[in-house]
Amino acid sequence: MTQAVDEAILQCSEIPKTEMRRVMVGEVAICLAHTEDGGWYAIDDTCTHEDCSLSEGELSDHLVECPCHGSRFDVRTGEVLNLPAVIPVGTYRVAVTGDQVLVDVDAKPVG
């Protein structure tokens, strides 16, 4: 299910650890991941190999696997880790304030 929000403002409790959700921030489809270590990461939801939703894939540690052809991406950096994808996905800054998770599609994370 796609959730359209202005800044992807969600409650932390809406996405349990080790799960992902597709959210819309304006016109941008985001895969919002809550990793096992409690981290929050936002990447483009569309695989760079083919038009597949990464939020429908599997999250293991900091890696998301595309459900279509198995390409894996690091949610921290967007780096592609195996074929068939060769182009990294975009990453976005995530802020947690209290119990709210916000994604800023205009600000890229440092590093």
Side-chain angles (χ1 to χ4, degrees):
M1 181 171 116
T2 300
Q3 180 172 353
V5 291
D6 291 334
E7 265 193 314
I9 301 172
L10 302 171
Q11 299 296 317
C12 291
S13 58
E14 291 183 59
I15 305 176
K17 288 182 181 178
T18 72
E19 292 191 15
M20 301 177 291
R21 180 174 300 169
R22 177 185 173 105
V23 294
M24 295 298 296
V25 182
E27 299 292 318
V28 182
I30 300 291
C31 172
L32 184 60
H34 189 188
T35 57
E36 188 172 353
D37 64 1
W40 290 92
Y41 301 93
I43 60 173
D44 286 325
D45 190 48
T46 304
C47 180
T48 57
H49 169 250
E50 199 165 300
D51 190 22
C52 293
S53 173
L54 294 175
S55 61
E56 295 177 12
E58 296 292 323
L59 179 64
S60 177
D61 194 24
H62 293 101
L63 307 178
V64 60
E65 183 173 318
C66 178
C68 292
H69 296 105
S71 290
R72 292 182 309 144
F73 300 88
D74 188 318
V75 295
R76 298 168 294 187
T77 64
E79 177 184 8
V80 63
L81 301 171
N82 66 289
L83 299 172
V86 294
I87 301 168
V89 291
T91 60
Y92 303 94
R93 187 177 308 272
V94 177
V96 177
T97 304
D99 191 42
Q100 292 188 330
V101 181
L102 298 96
V103 177
D104 186 348
V105 296
D106 293 324
K108 300 292 183 181
V110 178

